[in-house]
PDB file of all heavy atoms in Angstrom:
ATOM      1  N   GLU A 214     121.104 129.779 119.254  1.00 66.00           N
ATOM      2  CA  GLU A 214     120.087 128.999 118.587  1.00 66.00           C
ATOM      3  C   GLU A 214     119.112 129.887 117.861  1.00 66.00           C
ATOM      4  O   GLU A 214     118.923 131.063 118.224  1.00 66.00           O
ATOM      5  CB  GLU A 214     119.307 128.136 119.614  1.00 66.00           C
ATOM      6  CG  GLU A 214     120.082 126.911 120.050  1.00 66.00           C
ATOM      7  CD  GLU A 214     119.182 126.015 120.851  1.00 66.00           C
ATOM      8  OE1 GLU A 214     117.973 126.296 120.962  1.00 66.00           O
ATOM      9  OE2 GLU A 214     119.682 124.987 121.352  1.00 66.00           O
ATOM     10  N   LEU A 215     118.463 129.335 116.868  1.00 68.00           N
ATOM     11  CA  LEU A 215     117.449 130.122 116.154  1.00 68.00           C
ATOM     12  C   LEU A 215     116.126 129.917 116.889  1.00 68.00           C
ATOM     13  O   LEU A 215     115.663 128.786 117.057  1.00 68.00           O
ATOM     14  CB  LEU A 215     117.320 129.648 114.734  1.00 68.00           C
ATOM     15  CG  LEU A 215     118.528 130.020 113.874  1.00 68.00           C
ATOM     16  CD1 LEU A 215     118.341 129.493 112.479  1.00 68.00           C
ATOM     17  CD2 LEU A 215     118.734 131.506 113.816  1.00 68.00           C
ATOM     18  N   VAL A 216     115.532 130.984 117.358  1.00 71.00           N
ATOM     19  CA  VAL A 216     114.242 130.889 118.052  1.00 71.00           C
ATOM     20  C   VAL A 216     113.204 131.467 117.054  1.00 71.00           C
ATOM     21  O   VAL A 216     113.373 132.563 116.540  1.00 71.00           O
ATOM     22  CB  VAL A 216     114.264 131.736 119.326  1.00 71.00           C
ATOM     23  CG1 VAL A 216     112.912 131.568 120.027  1.00 71.00           C
ATOM     24  CG2 VAL A 216     115.384 131.290 120.202  1.00 71.00           C
ATOM     25  N   THR A 217     112.158 130.713 116.834  1.00 75.00           N
ATOM     26  CA  THR A 217     111.128 131.209 115.859  1.00 75.00           C
ATOM     27  C   THR A 217     110.155 132.107 116.619  1.00 75.00           C
ATOM     28  O   THR A 217     109.666 131.777 117.674  1.00 75.00           O
ATOM     29  CB  THR A 217     110.342 130.047 115.231  1.00 75.00           C
ATOM     30  OG1 THR A 217     110.015 129.150 116.282  1.00 75.00           O
ATOM     31  CG2 THR A 217     111.208 129.315 114.264  1.00 75.00           C
ATOM     32  N   GLU A 218     109.910 133.249 116.024  1.00 75.00           N
ATOM     33  CA  GLU A 218     108.965 134.178 116.620  1.00 75.00           C
ATOM     34  C   GLU A 218     107.912 134.559 115.576  1.00 75.00           C
ATOM     35  O   GLU A 218     108.179 134.428 114.359  1.00 75.00           O
ATOM     36  CB  GLU A 218     109.698 135.470 117.069  1.00 75.00           C
ATOM     37  CG  GLU A 218     110.644 135.255 118.192  1.00 75.00           C
ATOM     38  CD  GLU A 218     111.309 136.542 118.582  1.00 75.00           C
ATOM     39  OE1 GLU A 218     111.359 137.450 117.732  1.00 75.00           O
ATOM     40  OE2 GLU A 218     111.756 136.666 119.725  1.00 75.00           O
ATOM     41  N   GLU A 219     106.772 134.985 116.053  1.00 79.00           N
ATOM     42  CA  GLU A 219     105.730 135.378 115.087  1.00 79.00           C
ATOM     43  C   GLU A 219     105.983 136.810 114.606  1.00 79.00           C
ATOM     44  O   GLU A 219     106.417 137.667 115.384  1.00 79.00           O
ATOM     45  CB  GLU A 219     104.348 135.335 115.748  1.00 79.00           C
ATOM     46  CG  GLU A 219     103.875 133.893 115.967  1.00 79.00           C
ATOM     47  CD  GLU A 219     102.396 133.858 116.254  1.00 79.00           C
ATOM     48  OE1 GLU A 219     101.797 134.912 116.451  1.00 79.00           O
ATOM     49  OE2 GLU A 219     101.836 132.762 116.293  1.00 79.00           O
ATOM     50  N   ALA A 220     105.754 137.049 113.340  1.00 79.00           N
ATOM     51  CA  ALA A 220     105.883 138.370 112.803  1.00 79.00           C
ATOM     52  C   ALA A 220     104.797 138.568 111.763  1.00 79.00           C
ATOM     53  O   ALA A 220     104.210 137.608 111.272  1.00 79.00           O
ATOM     54  CB  ALA A 220     107.244 138.566 112.152  1.00 79.00           C
ATOM     55  N   ILE A 221     104.484 139.822 111.442  1.00 81.00           N
ATOM     56  CA  ILE A 221     103.454 140.091 110.464  1.00 81.00           C
ATOM     57  C   ILE A 221     104.105 140.452 109.142  1.00 81.00           C
ATOM     58  O   ILE A 221     104.997 141.291 109.123  1.00 81.00           O
ATOM     59  CB  ILE A 221     102.576 141.296 110.934  1.00 81.00           C
ATOM     60  CG1 ILE A 221     101.989 140.983 112.297  1.00 81.00           C
ATOM     61  CG2 ILE A 221     101.518 141.630 109.903  1.00 81.00           C
ATOM     62  CD1 ILE A 221     100.539 140.690 112.341  1.00 81.00           C
ATOM     63  N   ALA A 222     103.692 139.806 108.076  1.00 81.00           N
ATOM     64  CA  ALA A 222     104.271 140.116 106.765  1.00 81.00           C
ATOM     65  C   ALA A 222     103.152 140.483 105.801  1.00 81.00           C
ATOM     66  O   ALA A 222     102.019 140.058 105.965  1.00 81.00           O
ATOM     67  CB  ALA A 222     105.023 138.904 106.238  1.00 81.00           C
ATOM     68  N   HIS A 223     103.491 141.315 104.833  1.00 81.00           N
ATOM     69  CA  HIS A 223     102.509 141.681 103.803  1.00 81.00           C
ATOM     70  C   HIS A 223     102.717 140.790 102.602  1.00 81.00           C
ATOM     71  O   HIS A 223     103.843 140.682 102.109  1.00 81.00           O
ATOM     72  CB  HIS A 223     102.664 143.162 103.394  1.00 81.00           C
ATOM     73  CG  HIS A 223     102.271 144.056 104.516  1.00 81.00           C
ATOM     74  ND1 HIS A 223     100.979 144.540 104.684  1.00 81.00           N
ATOM     75  CD2 HIS A 223     102.971 144.594 105.522  1.00 81.00           C
ATOM     76  CE1 HIS A 223     100.913 145.306 105.713  1.00 81.00           C
ATOM     77  NE2 HIS A 223     102.123 145.365 106.265  1.00 81.00           N
ATOM     78  N   ARG A 224     101.644 140.156 102.166  1.00 81.00           N
ATOM     79  CA  ARG A 224     101.766 139.299 101.013  1.00 81.00           C
ATOM     80  C   ARG A 224     100.906 139.814  99.881  1.00 81.00           C
ATOM     81  O   ARG A 224      99.789 140.314 100.123  1.00 81.00           O
ATOM     82  CB  ARG A 224     101.284 137.875 101.359  1.00 81.00           C
ATOM     83  CG  ARG A 224     102.154 137.174 102.362  1.00 81.00           C
ATOM     84  CD  ARG A 224     103.312 136.484 101.639  1.00 81.00           C
ATOM     85  NE  ARG A 224     104.348 136.072 102.598  1.00 81.00           N
ATOM     86  CZ  ARG A 224     104.443 134.822 103.013  1.00 81.00           C
ATOM     87  NH1 ARG A 224     103.620 133.916 102.613  1.00 81.00           N
ATOM     88  NH2 ARG A 224     105.362 134.504 103.891  1.00 81.00           N
ATOM     89  N   ALA A 225     101.367 139.709  98.646  1.00 83.00           N
ATOM     90  CA  ALA A 225     100.545 140.089  97.514  1.00 83.00           C
ATOM     91  C   ALA A 225     100.065 138.794  96.840  1.00 83.00           C
ATOM     92  O   ALA A 225     100.807 137.854  96.720  1.00 83.00           O
ATOM     93  CB  ALA A 225     101.360 140.911  96.533  1.00 83.00           C
ATOM     94  N   GLU A 226      98.804 138.791  96.398  1.00 84.00           N
ATOM     95  CA  GLU A 226      98.260 137.595  95.801  1.00 84.00           C
ATOM     96  C   GLU A 226      97.580 137.971  94.487  1.00 84.00           C
ATOM     97  O   GLU A 226      96.767 138.888  94.472  1.00 84.00           O
ATOM     98  CB  GLU A 226      97.224 136.968  96.757  1.00 84.00           C
ATOM     99  CG  GLU A 226      97.078 135.496  96.586  1.00 84.00           C
ATOM    100  CD  GLU A 226      96.174 134.934  97.671  1.00 84.00           C
ATOM    101  OE1 GLU A 226      94.969 135.236  97.598  1.00 84.00           O
ATOM    102  OE2 GLU A 226      96.653 134.214  98.581  1.00 84.00           O
ATOM    103  N   ARG A 227      97.951 137.302  93.427  1.00 85.00           N
ATOM    104  CA  ARG A 227      97.335 137.581  92.136  1.00 85.00           C
ATOM    105  C   ARG A 227      96.134 136.632  91.944  1.00 85.00           C
ATOM    106  O   ARG A 227      96.209 135.490  92.296  1.00 85.00           O
ATOM    107  CB  ARG A 227      98.290 137.324  90.982  1.00 85.00           C
ATOM    108  CG  ARG A 227      99.559 138.161  91.030  1.00 85.00           C
ATOM    109  CD  ARG A 227     100.416 137.805  89.846  1.00 85.00           C
ATOM    110  NE  ARG A 227      99.870 138.332  88.594  1.00 85.00           N
ATOM    111  CZ  ARG A 227     100.123 139.546  88.138  1.00 85.00           C
ATOM    112  NH1 ARG A 227     100.900 140.382  88.821  1.00 85.00           N
ATOM    113  NH2 ARG A 227      99.614 139.954  87.001  1.00 85.00           N
ATOM    114  N   SER A 228      95.047 137.198  91.470  1.00 84.00           N
ATOM    115  CA  SER A 228      93.918 136.319  91.218  1.00 84.00           C
ATOM    116  C   SER A 228      93.168 136.869  89.983  1.00 84.00           C
ATOM    117  O   SER A 228      93.220 138.025  89.651  1.00 84.00           O
ATOM    118  CB  SER A 228      92.989 136.259  92.411  1.00 84.00           C
ATOM    119  OG  SER A 228      92.530 137.563  92.713  1.00 84.00           O
ATOM    120  N   THR A 229      92.457 135.933  89.354  1.00 83.00           N
ATOM    121  CA  THR A 229      91.659 136.290  88.185  1.00 83.00           C
ATOM    122  C   THR A 229      90.252 136.431  88.591  1.00 83.00           C
ATOM    123  O   THR A 229      89.688 135.517  89.226  1.00 83.00           O
ATOM    124  CB  THR A 229      91.801 135.190  87.080  1.00 83.00           C
ATOM    125  OG1 THR A 229      93.178 134.896  86.926  1.00 83.00           O
ATOM    126  CG2 THR A 229      91.210 135.647  85.789  1.00 83.00           C
ATOM    127  N   VAL A 230      89.622 137.542  88.271  1.00 83.00           N
ATOM    128  CA  VAL A 230      88.243 137.784  88.714  1.00 83.00           C
ATOM    129  C   VAL A 230      87.388 137.896  87.457  1.00 83.00           C
ATOM    130  O   VAL A 230      87.761 138.561  86.479  1.00 83.00           O
ATOM    131  CB  VAL A 230      88.154 139.101  89.501  1.00 83.00           C
ATOM    132  CG1 VAL A 230      86.771 139.237  90.053  1.00 83.00           C
ATOM    133  CG2 VAL A 230      89.167 139.119  90.617  1.00 83.00           C
ATOM    134  N   ARG A 231      86.271 137.169  87.515  1.00 81.00           N
ATOM    135  CA  ARG A 231      85.311 137.323  86.387  1.00 81.00           C
ATOM    136  C   ARG A 231      84.452 138.501  86.604  1.00 81.00           C
ATOM    137  O   ARG A 231      83.853 138.657  87.674  1.00 81.00           O
ATOM    138  CB  ARG A 231      84.466 136.051  86.264  1.00 81.00           C
ATOM    139  CG  ARG A 231      85.202 134.957  85.502  1.00 81.00           C
ATOM    140  CD  ARG A 231      84.314 133.770  85.355  1.00 81.00           C
ATOM    141  NE  ARG A 231      83.003 134.116  84.877  1.00 81.00           N
ATOM    142  CZ  ARG A 231      81.996 133.265  84.819  1.00 81.00           C
ATOM    143  NH1 ARG A 231      82.152 132.068  85.265  1.00 81.00           N
ATOM    144  NH2 ARG A 231      80.828 133.646  84.360  1.00 81.00           N
TER     145      ARG A 231
END
Side-chain angles (χ1 to χ4, degrees):
Chain A
E214 280 190 5
L215 291 178
V216 183
T217 46
E218 292 181 337
E219 286 196 351
I221 303 252
H223 291 271
R224 293 275 167 100
E226 208 173 70
R227 300 181 72 88
S228 58
T229 310
V230 187
R231 277 182 50 190

